[in-house]
Amino acid sequence: MPYQQPTDGDAFRVLIGDFVSTEDGTGIVHIAPSFGADDFRVAKQNGIGSLTLVDKTGRFIDGLGEFSHRFVKNEYDDSIPKDAPTLDVDIAVKLKLENKAFKIEKYEHSYPHCWRTDKPVLYYPLDSWFIKTTALRDRMIELNNTINWKPQSTGTGRFGKWLENLVDWNLSRSRFWGTPLPIWATANQSERKCIGSVAQLKLEIDKSVKAGFMPSNPLAKFVESDFSKDNYDKFDLHRPFVDEVVLVSDKGEKMLREPDLIDVWFDSGAMPYAQVHFPFEMNEKELMQVFPADYIAEGVDQTRGWFFTLHALSTMLFDSVAFKNIISNGLVLDKNGNKMSKRLGNGVDPFTAIEQYGSDTLRWYMITNSQPWDNLKFDPAGVDEAKRKFFGTIYNTYSFFALYANVDEFRNLEAEVPVSKRPEIDRWVLSLLHSLIKEVTDAYESYEPTRAGRAIQDFVTENLSNWYVRLNRKRFWGGEYNQDKVAAYQTLYTCLETISMLAAPIAPFFMDKVFTDLHKASGKSTAESVHLSDFPKYNESLIDKKLELQMGIAQRVSSMVLGLRRKVNIKVRQPLTKIMIPVLDKEMQESIEAVKNLILTEVNVKEMEYITDTKGMLVKKIKPNFKTLGPKFGKQMKEISNAVAAFSQDDIIKVETTGSYVIPSSAGDLTITLEDVEILSEDIPGWLVASEGRLTVALDITVTEELHQEGIARELINRIQNIRKDIGLDVTDKIIIRIGKNSFIDEAILKHKSYISTQTLAVDILMEDSITGEGSQEIELDTEMTTRIRVDKAI
């Protein structure tokens, strides 16, 4: 409704609520001109002006009758009893008594309080200085669209919307500490001067001294172009000293400095230029060699703070972005997703965490657990897992390498064995390594350290340690020092060195130790630190995707077979007869055949058989995968689900073979893919079956007496190797084994004596009725299979 001036009898108006409608369509609107920008604008447009009823002591002004000079908040006067009536209650009572209140009710709401005194805060309308940022709103939006935001949604959403609704920047602050506003003005504000340098201020003070406004120039000893600390220590341009500076206008009038300070966020936004003392010590051409920044990183709460001031000043001064890339950090929460606070007692002392886990472990956990711009649920158990799983694995891998390299006196001084002449498994891990370099480089350059860290961690734990090193142990400790062994050492050396370089940005201390220890022995690198070495570059010619695919199949098949073993509690040391794999096409069979021997060795199975026709042998079941079907097909999901449930064995085979299937529906033909379904295979008598995607494996779990004896021999080897470690033997020490006779194991030992001796470096295995003496101990190979054993170092 149009604003109407109050009648002469109204000393003041208090309007309860935001809007109250009356029967004639008019209404009462509550506005607070002293508080909100929109309220002030509306009040000004309707002739109210900046009406203020409260003075700066917190009391009502004159002319408000019985309420004049009364504190609007009782907390402002310590002499007022805590249970005394408050001003709002007394006003409400008065209005009610005079029948002027439409509605009165109590409700709680948050109210700002001073963090020092804990007293309520009052707001007043003040004259302020502004920067007209709205004049460059469109250009700021254009430049923002060129910035690589991480996450992008912050740049287009939170920050983008802020720019779209941009208002002029309120630059001035009524405070004491900070950068003084460098503006001097006459009493009537008709003349103003903005000072842009100390040299300019010195000249202006000289004029003021001549005009008689100042007795002397406090900057008299300042030397222009001398940027030494001593020169700048000759004066202080902060309050209260700068307030004593009086200048003279062009018309000869006295000019005093505007008492306000500059918003501290202006200082932060000027950081790129202020840090190099531009434009005094560096010209614009030199500045542009280090500006804009490649990237910045700060909390998302800086969207309207540092991010904005950097962008605003850079746009206004240089028509440029201040940063090319930005990582907008999320918050660190407790493991339940709650904000950390002293009140809740769920905070984590970073120094205690660093002391307990190490800074690299803590950093690695935080980087790989979630993207930096997402909130992190901090769980100490996760940090411990990172320490054990990732750093422990690298440590053990390096220790394994160092142990055998020292035995063979390998220093990596031999001629490099050409990759083409190395075994397939060496070429595979090097192919993966260069694929990793390519991926990690892209991740770092895309400002996605989480993707980089996870890729490195997966390579180390799943491929390097759990596959390459484990399958190649015999190459390192067995046999003569030939080209094959050198190739194994060189391959593992390269992997460890490259990993240290790739992971150094996230784990700088641990990786520097790995790097320097490697090169102390070999002298291959002249860099004193991993951080002074060149970042690895991938070699496309060493990347063999076909080989990576084949080895990936080997890992998947092995994992499936080992899972079947666990299902019936058959240990890996127990050999089994056969696995059967249905092959869907020639290419699939060729890929599996290429890694057949590796799979059989890994899962300890004698034979592999391919099946081209599974009808009558394997019965398969199919289930819809609603996680993918829902987003894809929505309302048709139920219709598709019913069709999938009715699939025949031929239909299931078609899906597996082709990777897709067309289902007729009321909305037309709908194509589902292999990811939209889950295919399972039923077990067959004497066999266990597992399926994963297009792969199906059947394992014969029948253990013959011959297989059982071989299993006993392997279990015995494991126990002997553990005893070797416990008694502190070197890996090259020869031993004599004495084993107590036991009807359950005697035949197995006699049959596999040569194999056991070779694996344990035993020069003799003696089977005796009783084993006594120091060092003898009882071992358990299986239920009812216990015996005593003694291991002595052979002389």
Side-chain angles (χ1 to χ4, degrees):
M1 62 173 285
Y3 170 74
Q4 296 179 357
Q5 289 285 351
T7 61
D8 294 339
D10 290 336
F12 59 88
R13 296 173 301 118
V14 178
L15 308 179
I16 308 300
D18 288 325
F19 180 82
V20 179
S21 178
T22 58
E23 293 182 359
D24 62 358
T26 60
I28 301 173
V29 178
H30 168 222
I31 59 174
S34 299
F35 187 84
D38 291 332
D39 291 27
F40 180 82
R41 177 176 49 80
V42 171
K44 191 172 183 180
Q45 289 173 349
N46 288 276
I48 298 178
S50 57
L51 179 63
T52 302
L53 303 181
V54 183
D55 62 26
K56 292 186 178 181
T57 67
R59 294 180 173 89
F60 267 149
I61 60 176
D62 280 331
L64 300 181
E66 63 196 89
F67 300 112
S68 296
H69 306 295
R70 181 171 171 180
F71 284 106
V72 297
K73 294 283 186 180
N74 288 354
E75 290 90 337
Y76 292 141
D77 187 351
D78 294 334
S79 65
I80 300 177
K82 291 185 178 181
D83 57 352
T86 57
L87 182 65
D88 52 354
V89 172
D90 287 349
I91 292 175
V93 170
K94 178 178 176 63
L95 291 172
K96 191 69 174 178
L97 292 174
E98 295 178 1
N99 199 27
K100 294 180 179 178
F102 176 78
K103 184 179 182 180
I104 296 174
E105 63 181 17
K106 288 185 177 182
Y107 63 95
E108 290 187 2
H109 66 97
S110 59
Y111 194 93
H113 283 68
C114 173
W115 64 274
R116 290 189 182 92
T117 64
D118 204 31
K119 292 183 182 297
V121 175
L122 292 180
Y123 288 81
Y124 299 88
L126 300 172
D127 289 332
S128 298
W129 288 84
F130 288 78
I131 295 179
K132 197 173 183 61
T133 47
T134 52
L136 288 170
R137 179 195 294 119
D138 293 343
R139 183 56 179 158
M140 290 172 70
I141 293 173
E142 288 177 10
L143 289 173
N144 178 54
N145 292 334
T146 69
I147 298 172
N148 178 31
W149 281 82
K150 294 290 184 177
Q152 190 63 37
S153 57
T154 300
T156 57
R158 183 166 178 158
F159 192 76
K161 298 299 180 184
W162 171 256
L163 294 180
E164 290 175 8
N165 298 284
L166 191 64
V167 295
D168 289 332
W169 182 356
N170 184 349
L171 184 68
S172 58
R173 297 290 184 270
S174 299
R175 295 171 185 165
F176 187 86
W177 300 109
T179 302
L181 196 66
I183 297 175
W184 274 257
T186 56
N188 60 5
Q189 296 288 323
S190 62
E191 294 182 82
R192 296 191 183 106
K193 285 186 179 181
C194 182
I195 304 301
S197 68
V198 179
Q200 182 186 356
L201 181 60
K202 179 181 178 180
L203 292 175
E204 292 296 330
I205 295 177
D206 283 340
K207 295 178 184 178
S208 180
V209 171
K210 290 181 180 179
F213 292 144
M214 290 192 69
S216 62
N217 190 339
L219 300 179
K221 295 182 179 180
F222 172 76
V223 179
E224 187 177 358
S225 299
D226 177 1
F227 304 115
S228 66
K229 183 177 183 299
D230 290 340
N231 190 38
Y232 279 83
D233 281 345
K234 295 174 181 176
F235 57 90
D236 190 338
L237 292 181
H238 294 90
R239 299 187 73 180
F241 312 106
V242 71
D243 295 337
E244 297 171 1
V245 174
V246 179
L247 300 185
V248 58
S249 73
D250 293 340
K251 295 181 179 180
E253 296 184 27
K254 181 184 291 187
M255 304 181 79
L256 301 179
R257 193 190 69 83
E258 291 290 282
D260 288 341
L261 303 178
I262 297 177
D263 176 13
V264 293
W265 287 110
F266 184 93
D267 293 0
S268 73
M271 175 275 296
Y273 342 110
Q275 68 176 343
V276 293
H277 205 194
F278 173 84
F280 306 106
E281 291 187 56
M282 181 179 286
N283 59 40
E284 187 168 343
K285 184 177 180 180
E286 292 174 320
L287 176 67
M288 290 305 157
Q289 293 177 359
V290 295
F291 176 84
D294 285 329
Y295 86 100
I296 63 170
E298 250 292 359
V300 69
D301 54 318
Q302 296 298 331
T303 300
R304 300 170 186 179
W306 191 43
F307 298 164
F308 169 72
T309 56
L310 281 172
H311 190 64
L313 291 179
S314 179
T315 302
M316 290 185 287
L317 295 174
F318 303 104
D319 190 33
S320 167
V321 295
F323 45 89
K324 301 173 186 177
N325 304 274
I326 179 171
I327 295 179
S328 180
N329 300 329
L331 302 174
V332 179
L333 311 174
D334 71 8
K335 63 181 180 181
N336 298 316
N338 301 314
K339 283 189 176 182
M340 294 185 183
S341 70
K342 292 182 180 179
R343 180 177 60 83
L344 296 176
N346 62 345
V348 175
D349 185 337
F351 297 103
T352 302
I354 290 172
E355 185 71 25
Q356 183 175 358
Y357 301 109
S359 57
D360 277 1
T361 307
L362 194 63
R363 188 183 297 106
W364 190 271
Y365 164 75
M366 295 181 71
I367 288 293
T368 59
N369 189 271
S370 64
Q371 297 280 16
W373 45 88
D374 293 331
N375 292 338
L376 169 68
K377 294 181 180 179
F378 185 87
D379 187 354
V383 186
D384 192 59
E385 182 182 4
K387 180 178 182 180
R388 172 177 44 81
K389 188 174 181 180
F390 178 63
F391 290 96
T393 300
I394 295 181
Y395 178 83
N396 291 336
T397 303
Y398 182 86
S399 297
F400 169 84
F401 169 80
L403 174 65
Y404 292 106
N406 287 331
V407 169
D408 286 323
E409 297 183 353
F410 171 78
R411 295 293 180 267
N412 207 7
L413 302 178
E414 297 85 352
E416 192 80 9
V417 178
V419 174
S420 60
K421 293 184 179 181
R422 300 188 194 188
E424 190 175 62
I425 196 164
D426 287 3
R427 289 187 280 110
W428 163 76
V429 78
L430 290 174
S431 175
L432 269 187
L433 182 68
H434 282 267
S435 292
L436 177 70
I437 296 171
K438 187 175 184 179
E439 181 179 0
V440 170
T441 301
D442 178 72
Y444 281 147
E445 290 180 350
S446 301
Y447 296 88
E448 295 184 14
T450 302
R451 178 159 63 92
R454 288 176 178 175
I456 296 168
Q457 184 167 290
D458 183 69
F459 175 84
V460 169
T461 57
E462 299 303 322
N463 296 305
L464 184 62
S465 172
N466 193 39
W467 196 253
Y468 179 78
V469 171
R470 191 165 51 79
L471 297 184
N472 286 279
R473 285 183 180 275
K474 294 179 182 178
R475 294 175 64 196
F476 290 94
W477 69 266
E480 59 181 297
Y481 193 73
N482 54 19
Q483 179 174 292
D484 180 65
K485 178 175 278 195
V486 170
Y489 278 127
Q490 289 179 343
T491 299
L492 186 51
Y493 181 100
T494 299
C495 289
L496 287 169
E497 178 191 41
T498 305
I499 286 300
S500 71
M501 298 162 81
L502 293 175
I506 306 177
F509 303 109
F510 187 95
M511 297 306 162
D512 192 48
K513 178 65 174 173
V514 173
F515 181 88
T516 53
D517 281 357
L518 279 172
H519 290 291
K520 276 180 184 177
S522 69
K524 280 283 185 180
S525 175
T526 57
E528 295 181 12
S529 165
V530 68
H531 308 295
L532 299 176
S533 64
D534 292 332
F535 197 78
K537 294 182 179 180
Y538 68 91
N539 186 341
E540 193 73 51
S541 66
L542 296 181
I543 298 176
D544 187 338
K545 288 300 180 184
K546 183 178 180 180
L547 181 58
E548 289 183 22
L549 175 64
Q550 291 172 351
M551 200 64 72
I553 290 175
Q555 290 174 306
R556 288 173 60 197
V557 171
S558 299
S559 177
M560 293 164 70
V561 174
L562 294 175
L564 292 174
R565 279 180 169 274
R566 287 191 294 271
K567 191 175 181 181
V568 289
N569 199 26
I570 297 178
K571 296 179 180 178
V572 181
R573 296 189 191 97
Q574 174 59 62
L576 294 174
T577 305
K578 184 188 291 186
I579 57 175
M580 292 191 301
I581 301 179
V583 290
L584 305 177
D585 51 51
K586 183 179 179 181
E587 183 180 352
M588 181 180 184
Q589 182 172 339
E590 289 176 350
S591 296
I592 298 174
E593 181 65 24
V595 290
K596 172 183 173 180
N597 292 333
L598 194 152
I599 294 172
L600 293 176
T601 302
E602 173 67 4
V603 300
N604 198 12
V605 176
K606 303 292 185 182
E607 300 176 34
M608 179 184 293
E609 181 181 343
Y610 302 113
I611 306 172
T612 55
D613 185 1
T614 60
K615 290 181 181 178
M617 181 173 291
L618 292 177
V619 177
K620 298 197 172 183
K621 295 181 179 179
I622 190 168
K623 297 192 304 183
N625 181 2
F626 295 108
K627 290 183 179 179
T628 60
L629 287 174
K632 281 184 181 180
F633 301 105
K635 295 180 179 179
Q636 280 75 45
M637 185 174 66
K638 186 175 181 181
E639 196 172 351
I640 293 173
S641 176
N642 293 334
V644 169
F647 273 13
S648 65
Q649 290 294 302
D650 289 336
D651 293 331
I652 297 174
I653 292 173
K654 183 178 179 181
V655 175
E656 281 189 312
T657 306
T658 64
S660 64
Y661 194 94
V662 178
I663 298 176
S665 75
S666 57
D669 290 345
L670 302 175
T671 302
I672 63 171
T673 61
L674 200 57
E675 70 171 2
D676 298 323
V677 293
E678 183 181 355
I679 299 175
L680 306 171
S681 298
E682 292 184 354
D683 294 335
I684 53 181
W687 298 70
L688 292 181
V689 182
S691 295
E692 184 181 302
R694 300 180 74 222
L695 273 176
T696 298
V697 175
L699 173 67
D700 183 353
I701 57 174
T702 303
V703 180
T704 64
E705 181 59 29
E706 185 178 351
L707 291 174
H708 184 54
Q709 289 179 1
E710 187 179 341
I712 292 173
R714 287 174 176 263
E715 289 288 350
L716 185 59
I717 291 169
N718 173 259
R719 304 303 189 277
I720 294 170
Q721 299 288 37
N722 290 335
I723 292 173
R724 286 181 62 102
K725 291 180 183 177
D726 293 341
I727 63 178
L729 293 180
D730 290 336
V731 293
T732 57
D733 287 341
K734 306 290 185 179
I735 61 172
I736 297 174
I737 304 171
R738 289 178 169 82
I739 303 176
K741 292 180 180 180
N742 183 309
S743 59
F744 288 102
I745 65 175
D746 289 351
E747 188 177 349
I749 295 172
L750 290 172
K751 189 172 183 178
H752 298 285
K753 182 177 180 180
S754 176
Y755 174 63
I756 296 171
S757 298
T758 301
Q759 294 297 310
T760 61
L761 299 184
V763 296
D764 201 0
I765 299 177
L766 305 175
M767 299 178 64
E768 302 175 355
D769 292 328
S770 64
I771 304 297
T772 58
E774 186 179 353
S776 66
Q777 57 181 280
E778 187 173 79
I779 62 169
E780 181 179 311
L781 300 176
D782 205 341
T783 306
E784 297 184 357
M785 289 189 191
T786 60
T787 188
R788 294 196 70 80
I789 186 171
R790 197 174 91 201
V791 174
D792 297 310
K793 182 178 178 181
I795 299 174

